Amino acid sequence: MDGTAEDPFQHTNLGPFNLTNNSINGVIETNEPKWKQTPQNKTHPFSCALPIILGDTTTTTTTMTPATLLFLFIFVSTNALNISSSDLQLGFYNSTCPQAEQIVHDVVRNRHILDPAIAAGLIRLHFHDCFVRGCDASILLDETPSGEPVEKESPANGSTLRGIEVIDIIKTIIESFCPATVSCADILAFAARDAAVLAGLQHYYPVPSGRRDGTISRAIETLDLPGPFATVEQLTEKFAKKGFSQSEMVILSGAHSIGGAHCPSFDRRLYNYTAALRQDPSIETVHAEYLKTRCPVPTSTTTAEASEAQKVDFIPAAETSLDGSYYAELQMGRGLLASDQVLMTDRRTRTVVERMADDRGRWARKFAKAMAKIGLVEVLARDQGEVRRDCRFVN
């Protein structure tokens, strides 16, 4: 793909998102963006035609002003997301940093042009952040005053995290326009939303802001994250602790329509499933043989290290299309992780899988709504936490 690629946001009536001819840390840009032309521009990025998710089946496209969008957020938060409108709000940076969301979009879009796989990394980064201590950007910290190992050093994250450098670029640019104003937590929430739409999600969702950044990050707390071998019961319990229903858990699992996983996350299913079974019988036979070619059984330290580094797409040849194709893969026995395929073993979760496979448009609507809800998990707001100047370090 090159810099002339068609903007996916045009298909959702979001209006033009211009790029620049300058290069920021290797990010290619074309056409001067509004935030570089007029740093004092007060035009809100949402003052355009947006498809808004109002429920499971209703989508309306209309021209929204910030005031209208604020009303919409109050309606949704009161009736669906259960968060006070005084904690977060749409247009939070209207007067203090009106170009913030545009900058986020420009950088994410430019990186996506160069590396479409970055979308999955940013969505996962946001999810892993919000599921541990809430959406406070604690996953971005390199260290904390306590000296404890931080979240990004845990086995659940470690070298598998992608997208942190994109957040760094965004933060650097925003700081040059609006010092100590826009939180890293908000930047990550905006970036995950933009990444999802750029990757093919057919429903844009507004992201309220006003989150504050945390000052604590503990690797041990990543045990809150769902594991790759979790059962339906374990997955349901972990999501319930964060305020999500079992159905929402299955909906959010559809994020695995893009991205992939490293061999140690699933190769036990191929070679050492149980004492009685070498291979997980739920894996479709031909697919199992394909996975073995990608992740050969480790026979030495060298091959074990190579296996850890090897990444396999959740859906072969479809890494960059967030379209809900994940569910059809599960029906064919081609879920990559045990925690993916296990959704077909429980009657309740299987029913949701079947419904989403039959109606991808419905999945997209529900996924957008669930992603918006993720961004509200245990947020810090008002006088809680801080606004970091550097996302990797507390102030």
Side-chain angles (χ1 to χ4, degrees):
M1 299 178 67
D2 58 30
T4 61
E6 186 177 28
D7 189 346
F9 281 70
Q10 297 291 346
H11 297 299
T12 50
N13 297 319
L14 293 178
F17 286 86
N18 299 320
L19 305 175
T20 76
N21 282 321
N22 300 317
S23 177
I24 301 171
N25 291 9
V27 179
I28 296 174
E29 303 171 307
T30 59
N31 299 329
E32 190 77 0
K34 292 178 181 178
W35 54 266
K36 276 204 167 184
Q37 291 177 348
T38 54
Q40 302 305 316
N41 180 20
K42 300 300 181 181
T43 300
H44 191 272
F46 287 145
S47 295
C48 54
L50 298 177
I52 302 297
I53 313 306
L54 297 179
D56 292 347
T57 59
T58 302
T59 302
T60 180
T61 302
T62 186
T63 300
M64 294 284 183
T65 64
T68 305
L69 285 168
L70 179 58
F71 169 80
L72 173 65
F73 172 63
I74 294 171
F75 172 82
V76 173
S77 63
T78 302
N79 292 278
L81 303 180
N82 193 29
I83 184 171
S84 170
S85 62
S86 63
D87 291 328
L88 302 179
Q89 62 180 0
L90 290 168
F92 182 82
Y93 298 110
N94 272 3
S95 61
T96 57
C97 194
Q99 60 273 71
E101 289 191 59
Q102 186 70 53
I103 293 171
V104 173
H105 171 76
D106 285 350
V107 175
V108 172
R109 182 182 188 276
N110 294 346
R111 181 58 183 270
H112 186 263
I113 289 171
L114 297 174
D115 178 17
I118 197 64
L122 288 168
I123 294 169
R124 181 174 183 260
L125 193 63
H126 182 48
F127 178 84
H128 278 216
D129 179 48
C130 294
F131 250 64
V132 180
R133 304 191 68 81
C135 304
D136 64 349
S138 54
I139 197 170
L140 302 176
L141 288 169
D142 284 351
E143 60 183 47
T144 64
S146 73
E148 297 173 86
V150 293
E151 292 170 35
K152 64 168 61 171
E153 296 175 352
S154 74
N157 292 319
S159 61
T160 68
L161 291 180
R162 294 199 62 200
I164 294 177
E165 72 287 353
V166 178
I167 304 302
D168 288 339
I169 294 170
I170 295 169
K171 181 63 171 175
T172 298
I173 298 172
I174 288 180
E175 283 293 302
S176 71
F177 281 84
C178 322
T181 300
V182 182
S183 70
C184 301
D186 278 341
I187 289 172
L188 186 50
F190 295 147
R193 182 269 313 281
D194 291 349
V197 177
L198 286 164
L201 183 66
Q202 294 299 304
H203 288 273
Y204 180 96
Y205 57 95
V207 173
S209 48
R211 297 168 189 79
R212 304 270 288 182
D213 299 323
T215 59
I216 299 170
S217 182
R218 298 189 178 106
I220 189 66
E221 293 181 346
T222 60
L223 292 174
D224 286 345
L225 292 167
F229 294 97
T231 64
V232 169
E233 290 72 21
Q234 291 168 336
L235 290 169
T236 302
E237 180 182 1
K238 285 183 178 292
F239 275 82
K241 287 180 179 179
K242 302 300 177 181
F244 292 87
S245 67
Q246 187 180 70
S247 177
E248 288 173 321
M249 177 264 289
V250 179
I251 299 299
L252 287 167
S253 297
H256 287 180
S257 296
I258 59 174
H262 293 80
C263 293
S265 298
F266 62 87
D267 61 5
R268 193 175 81 191
R269 302 180 69 202
L270 304 173
Y271 305 114
N272 189 29
Y273 187 56
T274 66
L277 293 170
R278 178 176 174 83
Q279 181 175 301
D280 183 348
S282 69
I283 307 177
E284 191 269 328
T285 305
V286 174
H287 191 57
E289 294 306 311
Y290 160 74
L291 293 177
K292 289 175 182 177
T293 66
R294 300 299 307 275
C295 300
V297 59
T299 56
S300 66
T301 302
T302 302
T303 56
E305 292 175 353
S307 177
E308 289 178 6
Q310 179 65 33
K311 185 176 180 179
V312 178
D313 293 345
F314 286 117
I315 302 177
E319 185 180 18
T320 58
S321 182
L322 187 56
D323 58 2
S325 51
Y326 165 83
Y327 300 102
E329 294 292 307
L330 297 188
Q331 290 178 310
M332 293 186 287
R334 293 168 56 172
L336 186 60
L337 304 179
S339 56
D340 290 323
Q341 197 58 49
V342 76
L343 300 180
M344 291 298 292
T345 66
D346 182 280
R347 176 185 57 80
R348 297 163 299 173
T349 55
R350 184 173 62 250
T351 298
V352 180
V353 168
E354 291 169 348
R355 288 174 179 168
M356 296 305 102
D358 289 342
D359 189 345
R360 293 188 189 181
R362 183 183 184 189
W363 169 77
R365 293 189 294 272
K366 286 178 170 286
F367 183 78
K369 184 177 178 181
M371 281 293 291
K373 184 174 177 179
I374 281 181
L376 306 179
V377 172
E378 299 168 13
V379 297
L380 302 177
R382 287 179 274 190
D383 59 349
Q384 299 173 311
E386 64 182 17
V387 175
R388 288 183 218 140
R389 296 179 180 85
D390 183 326
C391 291
R392 293 176 180 262
F393 304 97
V394 299
N395 293 338

